[in-house]
């Protein structure tokens, strides 16, 4: 937003849109990866039915938690204005 509490500029809205999209896509990918890592051994190694069902339930419980944590982390980090360091440039503090 501008310094006077007005509406955000188009560039700021675009940056927020990109960041939200990145948060959702990366969270979905990470949640799917966690689910596959938890449930995968049940299919790979032919584990007993009870253990396979347990791993499936754990995967179903863990994936949404990972999704939400990732989205919140990315959006909070964006709101703080964290930017990656730029090698070769001096920081404003120096």
């Amino acid at each position: 937003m501008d310094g006077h509490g007005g509406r955000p500029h188009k560039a700021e809205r675009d940056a927020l849109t990109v960041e939200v999209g990145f948060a959702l896509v990366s969270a979905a990918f990470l949640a799917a990866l966690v689910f596959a890592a938890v449930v995968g051994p049940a299919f790979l190694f032919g584990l007993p039915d009870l253990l396979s069902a347990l791993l499936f339930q754990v995967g179903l419980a863990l994936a949404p938690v990972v999704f939400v944590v990732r989205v919140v982390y990315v959006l909070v980090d964006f709101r703080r204005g964290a930017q990656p360091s730029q090698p070769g440039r001096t920081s404003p503090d120096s």
Side-chain angles (χ1 to χ4, degrees):
M1 288 209 261
D2 63 10
H4 305 289
R7 296 176 62 171
H9 296 287
K10 180 167 176 24
E12 292 167 338
R13 287 192 319 260
D14 290 347
L16 181 60
T17 301
V18 168
E19 199 66 23
V20 168
F22 170 74
L24 292 173
V25 170
S26 67
F29 178 76
L30 190 59
L33 190 65
V34 167
F35 180 78
V38 171
V39 177
F43 293 110
L44 264 153
F45 303 121
L47 298 176
D49 290 341
L50 182 61
L51 189 55
S52 294
L54 178 66
L55 286 175
F56 187 76
Q57 293 299 320
V58 169
L60 281 179
L62 200 55
V65 172
V66 169
F67 181 86
V68 170
V69 167
R70 175 66 180 169
V71 168
V72 169
Y73 176 80
V74 169
L75 294 180
V76 166
D77 196 39
F78 174 72
R79 183 164 182 164
R80 284 188 188 142
Q83 295 179 356
S85 64
Q86 298 174 352
R89 294 191 176 189
T90 58
S91 67
D93 299 359
S94 58

